Coordinates of all heavy atoms in Angstrom, one line a residue:
M724 N -17.0 -92.4 -28.5 CA -15.6 -91.9 -28.3 C -14.9 -92.7 -27.2 O -15.5 -92.8 -26.1 CB -15.7 -90.4 -28.0 CG -14.3 -89.8 -27.7 SD -14.6 -88.0 -27.3 CE -12.9 -87.5 -27.8
E725 N -13.8 -93.1 -27.4 CA -13.0 -93.9 -26.6 C -12.1 -93.0 -25.7 O -11.5 -92.0 -26.2 CB -12.2 -94.9 -27.2 CG -11.9 -96.2 -26.4 CD -11.2 -97.2 -27.3 OE1 -11.8 -97.6 -28.3 OE2 -10.1 -97.6 -27.0
M726 N -12.0 -93.3 -24.4 CA -11.3 -92.4 -23.4 C -10.0 -93.3 -23.0 O -10.1 -94.4 -22.7 CB -12.0 -92.1 -22.3 CG -13.0 -91.0 -22.4 SD -13.9 -90.5 -21.0 CE -12.7 -90.1 -19.8
N727 N -8.8 -92.6 -23.2 CA -7.6 -93.2 -22.8 C -7.3 -92.8 -21.2 O -8.0 -92.0 -20.8 CB -6.5 -93.0 -23.7 CG -6.1 -91.5 -23.8 OD1 -6.3 -90.7 -22.8 ND2 -5.7 -91.0 -24.9
A728 N -6.2 -93.2 -20.7 CA -5.8 -92.9 -19.4 C -5.7 -91.3 -19.1 O -6.1 -90.8 -18.2 CB -4.6 -93.6 -18.9
S729 N -5.1 -90.7 -20.2 CA -5.0 -89.3 -20.0 C -6.2 -88.6 -19.9 O -6.4 -87.5 -19.2 CB -4.1 -88.8 -21.2 OG -3.9 -87.4 -21.2
D730 N -7.2 -89.0 -20.8 CA -8.4 -88.4 -20.8 C -9.1 -88.5 -19.5 O -9.7 -87.7 -19.0 CB -9.4 -88.9 -22.0 CG -8.9 -88.7 -23.4 OD1 -8.0 -87.7 -23.5 OD2 -9.2 -89.4 -24.2
R731 N -9.0 -89.8 -18.9 CA -9.7 -90.0 -17.6 C -9.1 -89.1 -16.6 O -9.7 -88.6 -15.7 CB -9.6 -91.4 -17.3 CG -10.6 -92.3 -18.1 CD -10.6 -93.8 -17.6 NE -9.4 -94.5 -17.9 CZ -9.0 -95.1 -19.0 NH1 -9.9 -95.1 -19.9 NH2 -7.9 -95.7 -19.2
D732 N -7.8 -89.0 -16.6 CA -7.1 -87.9 -15.7 C -7.7 -86.6 -15.7 O -7.9 -86.0 -14.7 CB -5.5 -88.0 -15.9 CG -4.8 -89.2 -15.6 OD1 -5.4 -90.1 -14.9 OD2 -3.6 -89.4 -16.1
L733 N -7.9 -86.2 -17.0 CA -8.4 -84.8 -17.2 C -9.8 -84.7 -16.5 O -10.1 -83.8 -15.8 CB -8.5 -84.4 -18.6 CG -9.2 -83.1 -18.9 CD1 -8.4 -82.0 -18.3 CD2 -9.4 -82.9 -20.4
V734 N -10.6 -85.8 -16.8 CA -12.0 -85.8 -16.1 C -11.8 -85.7 -14.7 O -12.6 -85.0 -14.0 CB -12.7 -87.0 -16.6 CG1 -14.0 -87.1 -15.8 CG2 -13.0 -86.9 -18.1
E735 N -11.0 -86.4 -14.1 CA -10.8 -86.4 -12.6 C -10.4 -85.0 -12.1 O -10.8 -84.6 -11.1 CB -9.8 -87.5 -12.2 CG -10.4 -88.9 -12.2 CD -11.7 -89.1 -11.5 OE1 -11.8 -88.5 -10.2 OE2 -12.7 -89.6 -12.1
V736 N -9.4 -84.5 -12.9 CA -8.9 -83.1 -12.4 C -10.1 -82.1 -12.5 O -10.2 -81.3 -11.6 CB -7.8 -82.7 -13.4 CG1 -7.4 -81.2 -13.3 CG2 -6.5 -83.5 -13.0
M737 N -10.9 -82.3 -13.6 CA -12.0 -81.2 -13.7 C -13.0 -81.5 -12.6 O -13.6 -80.6 -12.1 CB -12.6 -81.3 -15.2 CG -11.6 -80.9 -16.2 SD -10.7 -79.3 -15.8 CE -12.1 -78.1 -15.7
K738 N -13.3 -82.8 -12.2 CA -14.2 -83.0 -11.1 C -13.6 -82.3 -9.8 O -14.4 -81.7 -9.1 CB -14.3 -84.5 -10.9 CG -15.2 -85.2 -11.8 CD -15.2 -86.7 -11.6 CE -16.0 -87.5 -12.5 NZ -15.9 -88.8 -12.2
Q739 N -12.3 -82.4 -9.5 CA -11.8 -81.8 -8.4 C -11.9 -80.3 -8.5 O -12.2 -79.6 -7.6 CB -10.3 -82.2 -8.3 CG -9.9 -83.6 -8.0 CD -8.4 -83.8 -8.0 OE1 -7.7 -83.3 -8.8 NE2 -8.1 -84.8 -7.2
Y740 N -11.6 -79.8 -9.8 CA -11.7 -78.3 -9.9 C -13.1 -77.8 -9.6 O -13.2 -76.8 -8.8 CB -11.4 -78.0 -11.4 CG -11.6 -76.5 -11.7 CD1 -10.4 -75.6 -11.5 CD2 -12.8 -76.0 -12.2 CE1 -10.6 -74.3 -11.9 CE2 -12.9 -74.7 -12.4 CZ -11.8 -73.9 -12.3 OH -12.0 -72.5 -12.5
F741 N -14.1 -78.5 -10.0 CA -15.5 -78.0 -9.8 C -15.9 -78.2 -8.3 O -16.6 -77.4 -7.7 CB -16.4 -78.6 -10.7 CG -16.3 -78.0 -12.1 CD1 -15.8 -78.8 -13.1 CD2 -16.6 -76.7 -12.3 CE1 -15.7 -78.3 -14.4 CE2 -16.5 -76.2 -13.7 CZ -16.0 -76.9 -14.7
A742 N -15.3 -79.2 -7.7 CA -15.6 -79.5 -6.2 C -14.9 -78.3 -5.3 O -15.6 -77.8 -4.5 CB -15.1 -80.8 -5.8
V743 N -13.8 -78.1 -5.8 CA -13.0 -76.9 -5.0 C -13.7 -75.7 -5.3 O -13.8 -74.8 -4.4 CB -11.5 -76.9 -5.4 CG1 -10.8 -75.7 -4.8 CG2 -10.8 -78.2 -5.0
K744 N -14.1 -75.5 -6.5 CA -14.9 -74.2 -6.9 C -16.1 -74.0 -6.0 O -16.4 -72.9 -5.5 CB -15.2 -74.2 -8.3 CG -15.7 -72.8 -8.9 CD -15.9 -72.8 -10.3 CE -16.5 -71.5 -10.7 NZ -16.6 -71.3 -12.1
V745 N -16.8 -75.0 -5.8 CA -18.0 -75.0 -4.9 C -17.5 -74.5 -3.5 O -18.2 -73.7 -2.8 CB -18.8 -76.3 -5.0 CG1 -19.8 -76.4 -3.8 CG2 -19.4 -76.5 -6.3
E746 N -16.5 -75.2 -3.0 CA -16.0 -74.9 -1.6 C -15.5 -73.5 -1.6 O -15.8 -72.8 -0.5 CB -14.9 -75.8 -1.3 CG -14.5 -75.8 0.2 CD -13.6 -76.8 0.6 OE1 -13.1 -77.8 -0.2 OE2 -13.0 -76.7 1.7
V747 N -14.9 -73.0 -2.6 CA -14.5 -71.6 -2.6 C -15.6 -70.6 -2.5 O -15.6 -69.7 -1.7 CB -13.7 -71.2 -4.0 CG1 -13.5 -69.7 -4.2 CG2 -12.3 -71.8 -4.0
E748 N -16.6 -70.9 -3.3 CA -17.9 -70.0 -3.3 C -18.5 -70.2 -1.8 O -19.0 -69.1 -1.4 CB -18.9 -70.5 -4.3 CG -18.4 -70.2 -5.7 CD -18.1 -68.7 -6.0 OE1 -18.8 -67.9 -5.5 OE2 -17.1 -68.4 -6.7
D749 N -18.6 -71.2 -1.3 CA -19.1 -71.4 0.1 C -18.4 -70.6 1.1 O -18.9 -69.8 1.9 CB -19.2 -72.9 0.5 CG -19.8 -73.1 1.8 OD1 -20.9 -72.5 2.0 OD2 -19.2 -73.8 2.6
V750 N -17.0 -70.7 1.1 CA -16.2 -69.9 2.0 C -16.3 -68.4 1.7 O -16.4 -67.7 2.6 CB -14.7 -70.3 2.0 CG1 -13.8 -69.4 2.7 CG2 -14.5 -71.7 2.3
K751 N -16.2 -68.0 0.4 CA -16.4 -66.6 0.0 C -17.8 -66.1 0.5 O -17.9 -64.9 1.1 CB -16.4 -66.5 -1.5 CG -16.4 -65.2 -2.0 CD -16.3 -65.2 -3.5 CE -16.6 -63.8 -4.1 NZ -16.6 -63.9 -5.6
S752 N -18.8 -66.8 0.5 CA -20.1 -66.4 0.9 C -20.2 -66.2 2.4 O -20.7 -65.1 2.8 CB -21.2 -67.5 0.5 OG -22.5 -67.1 1.0
R753 N -19.6 -67.1 3.2 CA -19.6 -67.0 4.6 C -18.7 -65.8 5.1 O -19.1 -65.0 5.9 CB -19.1 -68.2 5.3 CG -20.0 -69.4 5.3 CD -19.5 -70.5 6.2 NE -18.2 -70.9 6.1 CZ -17.6 -71.9 5.3 NH1 -18.5 -72.6 4.5 NH2 -16.4 -72.2 5.2
L754 N -17.7 -65.7 4.5 CA -16.7 -64.5 4.7 C -17.4 -63.1 4.4 O -17.4 -62.2 5.1 CB -15.4 -64.6 4.1 CG -14.5 -65.6 4.6 CD1 -13.3 -65.8 3.7 CD2 -13.9 -65.2 6.0
E755 N -18.0 -63.1 3.3 CA -18.6 -61.7 2.9 C -19.8 -61.4 3.8 O -19.9 -60.4 4.1 CB -19.0 -61.9 1.3 CG -19.4 -60.5 0.8 CD -18.2 -59.5 0.9 OE1 -17.1 -59.8 1.1 OE2 -18.7 -58.3 0.9
A756 N -20.6 -62.5 4.2 CA -21.7 -62.2 5.1 C -21.1 -61.7 6.5 O -21.6 -60.7 7.0 CB -22.4 -63.5 5.4
A757 N -20.0 -62.3 6.8 CA -19.3 -61.9 8.2 C -18.8 -60.4 8.0 O -18.8 -59.6 8.9 CB -18.2 -62.8 8.6
R758 N -18.2 -60.1 6.8 CA -17.7 -58.8 6.7 C -18.7 -57.8 6.5 O -18.6 -56.7 7.2 CB -17.0 -58.7 5.2 CG -16.2 -57.4 5.0 CD -15.7 -57.2 3.6 NE -16.9 -57.0 2.7 CZ -17.5 -55.8 2.5 NH1 -17.3 -54.8 3.1 NH2 -18.5 -55.7 1.5
R759 N -19.9 -58.0 5.9 CA -21.0 -57.0 5.9 C -21.5 -56.8 7.3 O -21.8 -55.8 7.7 CB -22.1 -57.5 5.0 CG -21.8 -57.3 3.5 CD -22.9 -57.5 2.6 NE -23.6 -58.8 2.7 CZ -23.2 -60.0 2.1 NH1 -22.2 -59.8 1.1 NH2 -23.8 -61.1 2.2
E760 N -21.6 -57.9 8.0 CA -22.0 -57.8 9.5 C -21.2 -56.9 10.3 O -21.6 -56.2 11.2 CB -22.3 -59.3 10.0 CG -22.9 -59.2 11.4 CD -23.1 -60.7 11.8 OE1 -23.7 -61.5 11.2 OE2 -22.6 -61.0 13.0
S761 N -19.9 -57.1 10.0 CA -18.9 -56.3 10.9 C -18.8 -54.9 10.5 O -18.3 -54.1 11.3 CB -17.5 -57.0 10.7 OG -16.9 -56.7 9.4
G762 N -19.2 -54.6 9.3 CA -19.1 -53.3 8.7 C -17.8 -52.8 8.3 O -17.5 -51.7 8.1
K763 N -16.8 -53.7 8.2 CA -15.4 -53.4 7.9 C -15.2 -53.4 6.4 O -16.1 -54.0 5.6 CB -14.5 -54.4 8.4 CG -14.3 -54.5 10.0 CD -13.4 -55.5 10.4 CE -13.3 -55.5 11.9 NZ -12.3 -56.5 12.3
E764 N -14.3 -52.4 6.0 CA -14.0 -52.5 4.6 C -13.3 -53.7 4.0 O -12.6 -54.5 4.9 CB -13.0 -51.2 4.3 CG -13.6 -49.9 4.5 CD -14.8 -49.6 3.7 OE1 -14.7 -49.9 2.4 OE2 -15.8 -49.0 4.1
I765 N -13.3 -53.9 2.8 CA -12.8 -55.3 2.3 C -11.3 -55.4 2.6 O -11.0 -56.5 3.1 CB -12.9 -55.3 0.8 CG1 -14.3 -55.4 0.4 CG2 -12.1 -56.4 0.0 CD1 -14.7 -55.2 -1.1
D766 N -10.5 -54.4 2.4 CA -9.0 -54.6 2.7 C -8.8 -54.8 4.1 O -7.8 -55.6 4.5 CB -8.2 -53.5 2.1 CG -8.6 -52.1 2.7 OD1 -9.7 -52.0 3.2 OD2 -7.8 -51.2 2.5
E767 N -9.6 -54.3 5.0 CA -9.4 -54.4 6.5 C -9.8 -55.8 6.9 O -9.2 -56.5 7.6 CB -10.2 -53.4 7.2 CG -10.1 -53.4 8.7 CD -11.0 -52.5 9.5 OE1 -11.7 -51.7 8.8 OE2 -10.9 -52.5 10.6
F768 N -11.0 -56.3 6.4 CA -11.5 -57.5 6.8 C -10.8 -58.6 6.3 O -10.6 -59.6 7.1 CB -13.1 -57.6 6.3 CG -13.7 -58.9 6.8 CD1 -14.4 -59.0 8.0 CD2 -13.6 -60.0 5.9 CE1 -14.9 -60.2 8.4 CE2 -14.2 -61.2 6.4 CZ -14.8 -61.3 7.5
Y769 N -10.3 -58.6 5.1 CA -9.6 -59.8 4.5 C -8.1 -59.9 4.8 O -7.4 -60.7 4.1 CB -9.8 -59.8 3.1 CG -11.2 -60.3 2.6 CD1 -12.2 -59.4 2.4 CD2 -11.6 -61.7 2.6 CE1 -13.5 -59.8 2.0 CE2 -12.9 -62.0 2.5 CZ -13.8 -61.2 2.1 OH -15.2 -61.5 1.9
N770 N -7.7 -59.1 5.7 CA -6.3 -59.3 6.3 C -6.2 -60.2 7.4 O -6.6 -59.9 8.5 CB -5.8 -57.9 6.7 CG -4.3 -57.9 7.0 OD1 -3.7 -59.0 7.3 ND2 -3.7 -56.7 7.1
P771 N -5.6 -61.5 7.1 CA -5.6 -62.4 8.2 C -4.7 -62.0 9.3 O -5.0 -62.6 10.5 CB -5.1 -63.6 7.5 CG -4.4 -63.2 6.3 CD -5.1 -61.9 5.9
R772 N -3.8 -61.1 9.2 CA -3.0 -60.7 10.3 C -3.8 -59.8 11.2 O -3.4 -59.8 12.5 CB -1.8 -59.8 9.8 CG -0.8 -60.7 9.0 CD 0.4 -59.9 8.5 NE 1.1 -60.8 7.7 CZ 1.8 -60.4 6.6 NH1 1.6 -59.2 6.2 NH2 2.5 -61.2 6.0
T773 N -4.8 -59.1 10.8 CA -5.5 -58.2 11.7 C -6.9 -58.7 12.1 O -7.5 -58.3 13.0 CB -5.6 -56.8 11.1 OG1 -6.3 -56.9 9.9 CG2 -4.3 -56.1 10.9
N774 N -7.4 -59.6 11.3 CA -8.8 -60.2 11.5 C -8.6 -61.6 12.0 O -8.7 -62.6 11.3 CB -9.5 -60.3 10.3 CG -11.0 -60.7 10.5 OD1 -11.3 -61.1 11.4 ND2 -11.8 -60.5 9.4
I775 N -8.2 -61.7 13.3 CA -7.9 -63.0 13.9 C -9.1 -63.9 14.0 O -9.0 -65.2 13.7 CB -7.4 -62.7 15.3 CG1 -6.1 -61.8 15.4 CG2 -7.0 -64.1 16.0 CD1 -5.0 -62.3 14.4
D776 N -10.3 -63.3 14.1 CA -11.5 -64.1 14.2 C -11.8 -65.0 13.0 O -12.4 -66.0 13.1 CB -12.7 -63.2 14.5 CG -12.7 -62.6 15.9 OD1 -12.0 -63.1 16.7 OD2 -13.3 -61.5 16.1
H777 N -11.4 -64.4 11.8 CA -11.7 -65.0 10.5 C -10.5 -65.4 9.8 O -10.4 -65.9 8.7 CB -12.5 -64.2 9.7 CG -13.9 -63.9 10.2 ND1 -14.1 -62.8 10.9 CD2 -15.0 -64.7 10.2 CE1 -15.4 -62.8 11.4 NE2 -15.9 -64.0 10.9
A778 N -9.3 -65.3 10.4 CA -8.0 -65.6 9.7 C -7.9 -67.1 9.2 O -7.5 -67.1 8.0 CB -6.8 -65.4 10.8
A779 N -8.3 -68.0 9.8 CA -8.3 -69.3 9.4 C -9.1 -69.5 8.1 O -8.6 -70.2 7.1 CB -8.8 -70.4 10.3
E780 N -10.2 -69.0 8.1 CA -11.1 -69.1 6.9 C -10.6 -68.2 5.7 O -10.6 -68.6 4.5 CB -12.6 -68.7 7.1 CG -13.5 -69.4 6.3 CD -14.9 -69.6 6.8 OE1 -15.5 -68.6 7.5 OE2 -15.4 -70.6 6.7
I781 N -10.0 -67.1 6.0 CA -9.4 -66.3 5.0 C -8.3 -67.0 4.3 O -8.1 -67.0 3.1 CB -8.9 -64.8 5.6 CG1 -10.1 -64.0 6.0 CG2 -8.1 -64.2 4.6 CD1 -9.7 -62.9 6.9
L782 N -7.4 -67.6 5.1 CA -6.3 -68.3 4.7 C -6.7 -69.6 3.8 O -6.0 -69.9 2.8 CB -5.3 -68.7 5.7 CG -4.7 -67.6 6.5 CD1 -3.9 -68.0 7.6 CD2 -3.7 -66.8 5.4
R783 N -7.8 -70.2 4.3 CA -8.4 -71.3 3.6 C -8.9 -70.9 2.2 O -8.6 -71.6 1.2 CB -9.6 -71.9 4.4 CG -10.3 -73.0 3.7 CD -9.4 -74.4 3.7 NE -10.2 -75.4 3.0 CZ -9.7 -76.3 2.3 NH1 -8.4 -76.3 2.1 NH2 -10.3 -77.2 1.7
S784 N -9.5 -69.7 2.1 CA -9.9 -69.1 0.9 C -8.7 -69.0 0.0 O -8.8 -69.4 -1.3 CB -10.6 -67.8 1.1 OG -10.8 -67.1 -0.1
Y785 N -7.6 -68.4 0.4 CA -6.5 -68.2 -0.5 C -6.0 -69.6 -0.9 O -5.5 -69.7 -2.0 CB -5.4 -67.5 0.3 CG -5.6 -66.0 0.7 CD1 -5.0 -65.5 1.8 CD2 -6.4 -65.3 0.0 CE1 -5.2 -64.2 2.2 CE2 -6.7 -64.0 0.4 CZ -6.1 -63.5 1.5 OH -6.4 -62.2 1.9
S786 N -5.8 -70.6 0.0 CA -5.5 -71.9 -0.4 C -6.3 -72.5 -1.4 O -5.7 -73.1 -2.3 CB -5.3 -72.7 0.9 OG -5.0 -74.0 0.6
L787 N -7.6 -72.4 -1.3 CA -8.5 -73.0 -2.2 C -8.3 -72.3 -3.6 O -8.4 -73.1 -4.7 CB -9.9 -72.9 -1.8 CG -10.3 -73.8 -0.6 CD1 -11.6 -73.4 -0.1 CD2 -10.3 -75.2 -1.0
K788 N -8.1 -71.1 -3.7 CA -7.9 -70.4 -5.0 C -6.5 -70.8 -5.6 O -6.6 -70.9 -6.8 CB -7.9 -68.9 -4.8 CG -9.4 -68.3 -4.5 CD -9.5 -66.8 -4.1 CE -10.8 -66.5 -3.8 NZ -10.8 -65.0 -3.2
Q789 N -5.6 -71.0 -4.8 CA -4.3 -71.5 -5.4 C -4.5 -73.0 -5.9 O -4.0 -73.2 -7.0 CB -3.2 -71.5 -4.3 CG -2.7 -70.2 -3.9 CD -1.8 -70.3 -2.8 OE1 -1.7 -71.1 -2.0 NE2 -0.9 -69.2 -2.8
E790 N -5.4 -73.9 -5.2 CA -5.7 -75.1 -5.8 C -6.4 -75.0 -7.0 O -6.2 -75.8 -8.1 CB -6.5 -75.9 -4.6 CG -6.8 -77.3 -5.1 CD -5.7 -78.2 -5.3 OE1 -4.5 -77.8 -5.0 OE2 -5.9 -79.3 -5.7
L791 N -7.3 -74.1 -7.2 CA -8.1 -73.9 -8.4 C -7.1 -73.6 -9.6 O -7.2 -74.1 -10.7 CB -9.1 -72.8 -8.3 CG -10.4 -73.1 -7.6 CD1 -11.3 -71.8 -7.7 CD2 -11.2 -74.2 -8.3
A792 N -6.2 -72.7 -9.3 CA -5.2 -72.2 -10.4 C -4.3 -73.5 -10.7 O -4.0 -73.7 -11.9 CB -4.3 -71.1 -9.8
R793 N -3.9 -74.3 -9.7 CA -3.0 -75.5 -10.0 C -3.8 -76.4 -10.8 O -3.3 -77.0 -11.9 CB -2.6 -76.1 -8.6 CG -1.7 -77.3 -8.9 CD -1.5 -78.1 -7.6 NE -2.5 -78.7 -7.2 CZ -2.9 -79.9 -7.7 NH1 -2.2 -80.5 -8.8 NH2 -4.1 -80.6 -7.3
L794 N -5.0 -76.7 -10.5 CA -5.9 -77.7 -11.3 C -6.1 -77.1 -12.8 O -6.0 -77.9 -13.7 CB -7.2 -78.0 -10.7 CG -7.0 -78.7 -9.3 CD1 -8.4 -78.7 -8.5 CD2 -6.7 -80.2 -9.6
M795 N -6.3 -75.9 -12.9 CA -6.5 -75.3 -14.2 C -5.2 -75.3 -15.0 O -5.3 -75.6 -16.2 CB -7.1 -73.8 -14.1 CG -7.5 -73.4 -15.5 SD -8.6 -74.4 -16.5 CE -10.1 -74.4 -15.5
D796 N -4.1 -75.0 -14.3 CA -2.8 -75.1 -15.1 C -2.6 -76.5 -15.6 O -2.1 -76.8 -16.7 CB -1.7 -74.7 -14.1 CG -1.6 -73.3 -13.8 OD1 -2.2 -72.5 -14.6 OD2 -0.9 -72.9 -12.8
W797 N -3.0 -77.5 -14.7 CA -2.8 -79.0 -15.1 C -3.8 -79.2 -16.5 O -3.2 -79.8 -17.4 CB -3.1 -79.9 -14.0 CG -2.9 -81.3 -14.4 CD1 -1.6 -82.1 -14.0 CD2 -3.6 -82.2 -15.2 NE1 -1.7 -83.3 -14.5 CE2 -2.9 -83.4 -15.2 CE3 -4.8 -82.2 -15.8 CZ2 -3.3 -84.6 -15.9 CZ3 -5.3 -83.3 -16.5 CH2 -4.6 -84.4 -16.5
A798 N -5.0 -78.7 -16.4 CA -5.8 -79.0 -17.5 C -5.3 -78.3 -18.8 O -5.5 -78.8 -19.9 CB -7.3 -78.5 -17.1
E799 N -4.8 -77.0 -18.5 CA -4.3 -76.4 -19.7 C -3.1 -77.0 -20.4 O -3.0 -77.0 -21.6 CB -4.0 -74.8 -19.3 CG -5.2 -74.0 -19.2 CD -4.8 -72.7 -18.5 OE1 -3.8 -72.3 -18.1 OE2 -5.8 -71.8 -18.4
A800 N -2.2 -77.5 -19.5 CA -1.1 -78.2 -20.0 C -1.6 -79.5 -20.7 O -1.0 -79.9 -21.8 CB -0.1 -78.6 -18.8
W801 N -2.5 -80.2 -20.2 CA -3.1 -81.4 -20.9 C -3.5 -81.0 -22.3 O -3.4 -81.6 -23.3 CB -4.3 -82.0 -20.0 CG -4.9 -83.1 -20.7 CD1 -4.6 -84.4 -20.5 CD2 -5.9 -83.1 -21.6 NE1 -5.5 -85.2 -21.2 CE2 -6.3 -84.4 -21.9 CE3 -6.8 -82.1 -22.2 CZ2 -7.3 -84.8 -22.8 CZ3 -7.9 -82.4 -23.0 CH2 -8.2 -83.7 -23.4
G802 N -4.4 -79.8 -22.4 CA -4.8 -79.3 -23.7 C -3.8 -79.1 -24.6 O -3.8 -79.4 -25.8
R803 N -2.7 -78.4 -24.2 CA -1.6 -78.1 -25.0 C -0.9 -79.3 -25.6 O -0.5 -79.4 -26.7 CB -0.5 -77.2 -24.3 CG -1.0 -75.7 -24.2 CD 0.1 -74.9 -23.7 NE 0.6 -75.2 -22.5 CZ 0.2 -74.9 -21.3 NH1 -1.0 -74.1 -21.2 NH2 0.7 -75.2 -20.0
Q804 N -0.9 -80.3 -24.7 CA -0.2 -81.5 -25.0 C -1.0 -82.2 -26.1 O -0.5 -82.8 -27.1 CB 0.0 -82.4 -23.8 CG 0.5 -83.9 -24.1 CD 0.4 -84.7 -22.9 OE1 0.2 -84.4 -21.8 NE2 0.7 -86.1 -23.1
R805 N -2.3 -82.2 -25.9 CA -3.3 -82.9 -26.9 C -3.3 -82.2 -28.2 O -3.5 -82.7 -29.3 CB -4.8 -82.9 -26.4 CG -4.9 -83.7 -25.1 CD -4.8 -85.2 -25.5 NE -6.0 -85.6 -26.2 CZ -6.5 -86.7 -26.4 NH1 -5.8 -87.7 -26.0 NH2 -7.6 -86.9 -27.1
L806 N -3.0 -80.9 -28.2 CA -3.1 -80.0 -29.5 C -1.7 -80.0 -30.2 O -1.7 -79.7 -31.4 CB -3.5 -78.6 -29.2 CG -4.9 -78.5 -28.7 CD1 -5.2 -77.0 -28.3 CD2 -5.9 -78.9 -29.7
A807 N -0.6 -80.5 -29.5 CA 0.7 -80.4 -30.1 C 0.8 -81.5 -31.1 O 0.3 -82.6 -31.0 CB 1.7 -80.7 -29.0
P808 N 1.4 -81.2 -32.2 CA 1.6 -82.2 -33.3 C 2.4 -83.3 -32.8 O 3.3 -83.2 -32.0 CB 2.2 -81.5 -34.5 CG 2.7 -80.3 -33.9 CD 2.0 -79.9 -32.6
D809 N 2.1 -84.6 -33.3 CA 3.0 -85.7 -32.9 C 4.4 -85.4 -33.3 O 4.7 -84.9 -34.4 CB 2.4 -87.0 -33.6 CG 1.1 -87.5 -33.0 OD1 0.8 -87.0 -31.8 OD2 0.4 -88.2 -33.7
S810 N 5.3 -85.8 -32.5 CA 6.7 -85.6 -32.8 C 7.4 -86.8 -33.4 O 8.5 -87.0 -33.5 CB 7.5 -85.3 -31.5 OG 7.3 -86.3 -30.4
A811 N 6.5 -87.8 -33.8 CA 7.0 -89.0 -34.4 C 7.4 -88.8 -35.9 O 7.1 -88.0 -36.5 CB 5.9 -90.1 -34.5

C-alpha cells in the first residue's frame, strides 16, 4: 500500500494524539493520587480557582484534553474527506 502526503499527515497526527493521551493519563494519575491523599471531593479538588497547589496541573490537564479533541477532530475530518466521493 502506497502512502501519499495526506496519509503521512494522518499518521503524524495520530502519533501526536497517542503521545498526548499518555501525557493526559500521567497528569490524571498524579492529580488523582493527590486528590485521594488530600481527602477532597472531586469537584472541590479539580477547581483550579480554589486548589492553588494543583492549579497549574489541573489547567494542564484541561489543555491536554482540548488538544486530544483537536487532533481527533482533524483525524475525523481526514476520514470524511477520504470517504467523500470524488467531485470530478
Side-chain angles (χ1 to χ4, degrees):
M724 177 178 207
E725 208 171 301
M726 285 181 54
N727 63 31
S729 177
D730 296 341
R731 285 187 292 276
D732 289 345
L733 175 65
V734 169
E735 288 305 312
V736 165
M737 294 314 297
K738 284 180 184 179
Q739 289 175 330
Y740 176 88
F741 289 112
V743 171
K744 188 173 181 177
V745 167
E746 192 173 351
V747 165
E748 291 302 319
D749 184 48
V750 171
K751 181 180 172 182
S752 178
R753 287 194 311 267
L754 284 170
E755 193 54 25
R758 185 193 70 79
R759 283 192 303 272
E760 186 176 304
S761 75
K763 293 182 179 178
E764 293 295 321
I765 291 171
D766 58 341
E767 179 185 2
F768 181 85
Y769 285 98
N770 183 342
R772 292 182 183 138
T773 58
N774 187 347
I775 303 304
D776 293 338
H777 295 96
E780 206 156 45
I781 293 166
L782 293 174
R783 177 75 180 140
S784 166
Y785 294 154
S786 175
L787 289 168
K788 288 176 184 176
Q789 288 176 334
E790 180 67 2
L791 283 179
R793 185 189 70 78
L794 290 166
M795 188 51 67
D796 286 347
W797 189 96
E799 288 173 350
W801 179 91
R803 284 191 299 276
Q804 175 188 354
R805 294 288 289 195
L806 294 174
D809 291 340
S810 56

